Amino acid sequence: MELSEQEINRRQSLDELQKLGIDPYPADIYEVNVTAEEIHKNFPADNSLYQDISIAGRIMQRRIMGAASFTEIQDATGRIQLYFKRDEICPGEDKTMYNIVFKRHLDIGDIIGVKGYVFITQMGEITIHVKEYKLLSKSLKVLPVVKEKEDKVWDAFTDPEQRYRQRYLDLIVNPKIKDVFVQRSRLINSMRSFLNGKGYLEVETPVLQPLYGGAAARPFKTFHNTLDMTLYLRIADELYLKRLIVGGYDGVYEFAKDFRNEGMGRYHNPEFTQMELYVAYKDYKWMMDLVEEMVEKIALDMHGTTKVKVSDREINFKRPWKRLTMFEAIKEYTGIDISGMNEEEIIKVANKVGVETDPSMGKGKLIDEIFGETVEPNLIQPAFITDYPIEMSPLAKKHKSKEGLTERFEAICNGKEICNAFSELNDPIDQRERFEAQLELGKRGDEESMVLDEDFLRALEYGMPPTAGLGIGIDRLAMVMTDQPSIQDVIFFPQMRPEKKPQVSTDEDFIKLGIPKDWVPVVRKAGFKTIVELKQANPNKLFNDLNGLRKKMKLNIPALKIEEVKGWMEK
RNA sequence: CUCUCCGUAGCUCAGUUGGCAGAGCAGCUGACUCUUAAUCAGCGGGUCGUGGGUUCGAAUCCCCCCGGGGAGACCA
């Protein structure tokens, strides 16, 4: 690849450092005994602390004033200023370590370790007075320099494409991003400790599945060579976890990566994280209480309060949350009671509220669409929607008392579903019929309808206790809890199209033509990325251009002769 | 997949009606021993996303393609 001027400078510094006997990538452990955060926290109260410290981090900022310099380094906890003084770094006659190594060959982005003591400058900044330093890693790429003063930010690194593709850069330069992922981790820890506290068992089930099931979604397909069969990446872990309830565990849960082969956008990444929980001898009402308790606790653990700021609103997770049946909710937001209607009447309602319909949609799907269009975006504060139609809930138990409905709920918050739960269907004969109804939908053209899983039915035939099940979207919950507008902001490496690589020939290809090694970068600079392009060039013009560049770039290599250039063309 | 906006130096962005490609930061050279968006003087840095077209002349106008954002579609 072609290097920019600054990248060439850094590689030259690397060489110079090595000539001075400095290993730019030393292998030894560098012992650190304090963090930037600890110093900022404790030093103001007790100035006798931190008088013999060792700390390491990345250089983020340099202000050089002749024989003294201020540098900021950033460790995992934050930034701290360093003070370098020439005669302190170099007590003897030899000032190389300051004048040459520090001033000339260190750059923003390099990682160094320093030893010294903490003091406060005349400007009142807590600073480390450096007695000695060591280069720990030389940085060859130029970091974007973001400057900040009193909440004003200059030259922020904001391009979403680069931020997502090079998340490491985003994390280095935008410290608030690092925080989001710390928060995400705390969310998961909070949930896990809540579930462990209840005595449930964390388990793992297959990602590669011969049949996919447990949700309405299109799968990713892959192939196992030895078994000579198609496998699917799981779209949900439901059917496996229920097999474990059949096996006799009281409560099992899994933090699972699931994969759905569908569109992408602010709320959808092809792979996403879900926590699914199944508890024996419970029902969906019991599960609602658990969800409220768990999410309230997460908010408290993360923010110390149940109130969470999300964009320009405040969402309060304090129990109890509002509870509405699906029909009540649709009636509340549209004024239409669809509870007694047949499919034809519902199609009319759907069209009236702006939902497009097509023949593949069953009654359940239609109701779901009407709900999604009219109700869901309006539910900002956490709310439970209960009692979903049977057609859209093929794994949920029929309602105890309401005909045509199931014992199912979703929690909605900030206009989006965050979880889905039901009293699990444990009647194997009913379950078989529901799967068959799904196959029927599939024949009507519904590509997300479920397939029939015989082994799962066999498990149910041995008998599954009444069970409550829950799936909760970790990414979406993290979006709400960390106030991020897009799912890509709570996933380290969101899915993206591959970066296109420009077509280039290797250095070896050029050298094979007889081009001296030192001339290869010049040839590239002249605009020839491939040997094919080069061979089409006019040798006289090429000869002139290359020697011209040699002069312009002040290269200390012998000038080319026209015979040489012609020689490359003939090979 | 559709609509829409965007792609210019390492980063953030200007670029008029089509007329020599600009600024700040970063970099390099020099000055400066408590600075903090350090300062001061000087210098270098570009395949204007890619390919085609119109034109005497294209970063600018037109078309194709690539990548991204937003809104939909699909989806939970």
Side-chain angles (χ1 to χ4, degrees), chain A residues 389-503:
Chain A
I390 192 163
E391 296 88 341
M392 53 194 282
S393 314
L395 298 161
K397 203 177 239 182
K398 280 178 186 153
H399 199 281
K400 284 182 213 40
S401 55
K402 296 176 187 167
E403 185 66 30
L405 301 181
T406 54
E407 300 210 339
R408 173 178 173 188
F409 72 85
E410 291 190 358
I412 316 273
C413 158
N414 204 31
K416 277 281 160 190
E417 175 201 339
I418 55 170
C419 78
N420 182 13
F422 29 87
S423 302
E424 301 295 332
L425 180 55
N426 64 345
D427 174 344
I429 293 167
D430 189 0
Q431 182 68 78
R432 181 177 294 277
E433 285 167 6
R434 303 270 199 103
F435 276 147
E436 279 163 0
Q438 287 286 307
L439 294 179
E440 213 33 59
L441 281 177
K443 284 183 198 154
R444 282 169 72 170
D446 185 344
E447 291 186 66
E448 289 99 33
S449 62
M450 295 187 191
V451 295
L452 195 146
D453 186 335
E454 281 294 347
D455 177 68
F456 174 67
L457 287 172
R458 179 166 63 188
L460 287 192
E461 284 169 9
Y462 283 101
M464 182 173 82
T467 297
L470 166 73
I472 183 163
I474 297 297
D475 309 289
R476 288 191 182 173
L477 187 60
M479 283 168 67
V480 173
M481 288 292 177
T482 62
D483 189 19
Q484 294 299 311
S486 157
I487 200 167
Q488 294 167 308
D489 293 312
V490 297
I491 293 175
F492 271 128
F493 302 104
Q495 204 56 242
M496 297 216 132
R497 285 203 167 78
E499 277 179 280
K500 63 169 178 189
K501 269 190 234 145
Q503 182 91 33

Side-chain angles (χ1 to χ4, degrees), chain A residues 34 56 122 125 168 181:
Chain A
V34 70
Q122 287 172 10
E125 177 97 8
Y168 41 88
F181 289 96

Side-chain angles (χ1 to χ4, degrees), chain A residues 151-165:
Chain A
D151 292 341
K152 271 185 279 182
V153 179
W154 285 265
D155 304 323
F157 180 66
T158 50
D159 177 20
E161 177 170 1
Q162 287 194 78
R163 287 187 43 225
Y164 301 147
R165 281 194 199 282

Side-chain angles (χ1 to χ4, degrees), chain A residues 207-306:
Chain A
V207 171
L208 289 172
Q209 305 182 348
L211 290 171
Y212 58 96
R218 287 183 349 229
F220 286 92
K221 221 172 164 176
T222 185
F223 190 79
H224 190 286
N225 292 338
T226 303
L227 292 174
D228 188 27
M229 70 183 290
T230 296
L231 289 170
Y232 299 92
L233 271 61
R234 70 177 165 205
I235 58 172
D237 20 4
E238 170 147 5
L239 302 185
Y240 282 95
L241 291 175
K242 283 199 261 192
R243 284 173 169 96
L244 297 179
I245 296 294
V246 171
Y249 293 108
D250 261 346
V252 291
Y253 70 93
E254 179 170 14
F255 283 94
K257 268 284 185 72
D258 291 331
F259 306 84
R260 298 188 182 176
N261 204 343
E262 280 149 3
M264 299 161 58
R266 274 180 65 198
Y267 293 96
H268 297 268
N269 196 57
E271 57 180 293
F272 64 102
T273 306
Q274 211 183 173
M275 194 286 292
E276 287 194 35
L277 167 69
Y278 294 83
V279 185
Y281 309 112
K282 305 297 184 194
D283 73 353
Y284 79 129
K285 291 211 162 127
W286 175 91
M287 187 62 90
M288 266 191 269
D289 294 338
L290 178 135
V291 168
E292 273 180 346
E293 184 188 348
M294 180 168 74
V295 176
E296 185 192 67
K297 174 190 180 289
I298 289 167
L300 285 167
D301 284 352
M302 290 177 69
H303 299 105
T305 164
T306 58

